[in-house]
Amino acid sequence: MASFSICLLIISAFSMQFSLVVDAVSDTDSLSVGQVITRSETLVSSGKFFELGFFRPGQSRNYYVGIWYKNIPERTVVWVANRDQPLTSSSPVLTISSEGNLVIEDGRITYRVSENVSSSQNTTATLLDSGNFVLRNEKLGLLWQSFDYPSHTFLPGMKLGYSRKTGKVWSLTSWKSRDDPSVGDAELKMEPGKSNAFSLMKRSQIVWTSGVWDGYIFSLVPEMTLNYIFNYSLYTDENETYFIYSIKDSIISRCILDVSGQVEQMSWLGARQAWFIFWSQPRTSCVACGPFSICNTATGSCQCLQGFFIGSDKNLSECVRRTALQCGDNSADREDRFLRMHNVKLPSPDKVLKLPGIEECKSACLNNCACTAYAYNSSGVCSSWDGKLYDLEQLSKNEGENIFIKLAASELPKPGGNKELLWITVIVVPLLLTASYIFLRWRRKLKYREEREPSQDMLLFDINSSTETSKNELSDGRAGKSKSTDAWLPLFSFASVSASTNNFSAENKLGEGGFGPVYKGELLNGQEVAVKRLSKKSGQGLEELKNETMLIAKLQHRNLVRLLGCCLDQDEKILIYEYLPNKSLDSFLFDRAKKRLLYWETRVKIIEGIAQGLLYLHQYSRLRIIHRDLKASNILLDTDMKPKISDFGMARMFGGDELQANTNRIVGTYGYMSPEYALEGLFSIKSDVFSFGVLLLEILSGKKNTGFYHTGSLNLLGHAWDLWKDNRALDLMDPILENEASYPMLARYVNVALLCVHENATDRPTMSEVVSMLTNEHLVLPRRNNQLSRM
Ligand SMILES: *[C@@H]1O[C@H](CO)[C@@H](O)[C@H](O)[C@H]1NC(C)=O
Ligand SMILES: *[C@@H]1O[C@H](CO)[C@@H](O)[C@H](O)[C@H]1NC(C)=O
Ligand SMILES: *[C@@H]1O[C@H](CO)[C@@H](O)[C@H](O)[C@H]1NC(C)=O
Ligand SMILES: *[C@@H]1O[C@H](CO)[C@@H](O)[C@H](O)[C@H]1NC(C)=O
Ligand SMILES: *[C@@H]1O[C@H](CO)[C@@H](O)[C@H](O)[C@H]1NC(C)=O
Ligand SMILES: CC(=O)N[C@H]1CO[C@H](CO)[C@@H](O)[C@@H]1O
């Protein structure tokens, strides 16, 4: 190893000599006065972590000077020198000018990267292993550094905050698009002189805030308490206030403000060559919608308004007007008109006026060429919007307001006197209505038949063909007996699923899972079901998904939610589960009033049930399912408060790593992720055991692992461990259990939980060991003797 490094040193020494000959640089980390970096050359930090040079982002033809990770194949740019000054010539150079400034020249323009640096000889610019590019000089020391001019990436060691002396704000600003690093419309910053909180601004409106720094964490970022990796601090003195972080392990991590306006903290998984996002805000996907589009909050999708289409950019980041407005040209026929949209959550207006009536409001907008929309409400307030219209949200019936969008007359059906319209209303509509009524009746009949006798539209599989499954299922007591025949998984049509959920109406929505929204539905036979509408993108093809669904449907255990059917219809992937009226464990456990219903006995039953369900997934099902997202909100409770694990097999169905269907990047639930999963993306049945341990502590204490802290220990796990060391494990107990709990049992459970959350996966027990430890009173448990060093 050592000789190899020496070898490298020699090589780089040689290349440095060569480069000096041509007065250019290569494979060095510094640039001095008179030297240049051309398009094909780069600086590399001494430890080879970062590289600096010219690049062209995405499809762009322009050159920029940027810094990216040296060893990450997909170029990940962390800083751009000339964001707002793209270079179009093909022979730009970066150099230090004679007066000591860092400049980019391309023959026509000279862009000064560093300004106001006093002239001096012997100035050098060095790319450091932290990713900071610093301009130094022997006499004056540090003159300028890139860390003082953040772009969209917040690296460890950088400051975000402000200087009280100069008023300078260190903030993150998004790129305009993936092809254009110029300053976009999102900014993450701390407002000078205000409370110590970050605000995420989009077009100067606050879309998310971190909450104030309370000494340990930002109050609305509870995930900061689950801190395996970072050392955060908020530094403040008479001159400046800033937030800074460092990384304890040797992992690569960065925080970015994405083009979509989301703040994301991610780490690089070398083994999988992928970025792993483990935290992001704001969670709503509406932030990604561009101008003249409307966001459907139920599905998180953006759609162009009527009269607009997706422009050159396929990312819906720009909807473009189909027909130009006629503004000013008042020849009656071509005057602009307004399209009424219902149930819209209005963005904050550009102008508000008190006007006597809606007609006045309308003409005010019509007479102002810049005005693109107006709204009028019952208190006589006329709101109007100029230019690009952003942040419209479609709400459901009885919510929101009307907004009127200005469109060219030709984009709207002509009002009244229109013969075609008359024809349509008088003849075609009734005809259509009759036809659809007949069709629906026919469908309905068919549907009933389908439910009784399986048609070819069903997936067939034979429970007995997997001898392993049936043999093992016997250990589950009840299961296995009633299933001597072929099992069928009904395939539902999209129309029937849609009808059962009232067209996926907001009133039917039960919640939002990692894979998409869940609705309550009612089948034609009156059975209540939970309908999970998976987000459109999944890593798998339809056939694979069908196979996986079939396999998953075969898993039957009293502690798993039953899959009743599915609908795979073109883009739609929908799973239909049994409906459990008591909702999820977290809705009881973390609710002050409802947690009283979780008696000690109930909690014991829940813990044992989850352990059994997980054991079945890991060991007794033929598939060996790793759940990967076990958490309180994925445990559903039936009417007897018996637990049923939901969302199992989702990772499998979605193929490999695509746990989060919305993106092609991996996301788990931070509070329950084992260290090896969070840091390296490694998962195994032992990462489920870790999540089970966290869940166990939450059930015993009634507290969330996320957001919990107590003097000295920053999360529930650390706190449990501290109490355990002091022989005070019983203090962990949820206070409302005081007169009920069995203390020896509680102590045993805490012990098991601490074994499960062992930092090393191999030292954690398997689920079958967990089950026997939980139930066997006479078993002597190993005591934990190691620290949770990273927590
Ligand atoms: C450079 O100095 C000028 C005048 O002193 C000032 O207006 C400008 O903001 C300074 N630029 C930077 C980047 O500090
Ligand atoms: C620049 O550095 C060299 C070597 O370090 C030194 O000999 C020279 O005097 C310096 N020049 C100036 C102007 O400081
Ligand atoms: C965390 O960061 C602060 C400030 O940078 C530093 O003083 C402290 O020593 C660090 N702690 C650890 C454990 O690295
Ligand atoms: C604040 O700035 C002043 C003037 O530059 C300096 O003298 C002082 O030491 C600074 N205070 C701190 C805490 O760095
Ligand atoms: C009308 O709009 C104004 C300004 O947005 C708002 O303050 C007022 O509450 C609204 N009135 C009603 C009845 O919605
Ligand atoms: C034209 C354009 O900007 N396309 C981008 C759309 O978004 C994807 C990823 O989200 C990019 O890969 C494309 O380049």
Side-chain angles (χ1 to χ4, degrees), residues 675-693:
E676 76 275 8
Y677 186 30
L679 301 184
E680 295 151 66
L682 298 174
F683 58 87
S684 64
I685 52 174
K686 294 297 186 70
S687 23
D688 275 356
V689 171
F690 184 96
S691 309
F692 176 78

Side-chain angles (χ1 to χ4, degrees), residues 597-607 640-641:
L597 297 172
L598 295 176
Y599 307 107
W600 173 248
E601 249 117 68
T602 314
R603 294 191 201 204
V604 169
K605 215 160 61 176
I606 291 172
I607 292 166
D640 297 332
M641 301 296 276

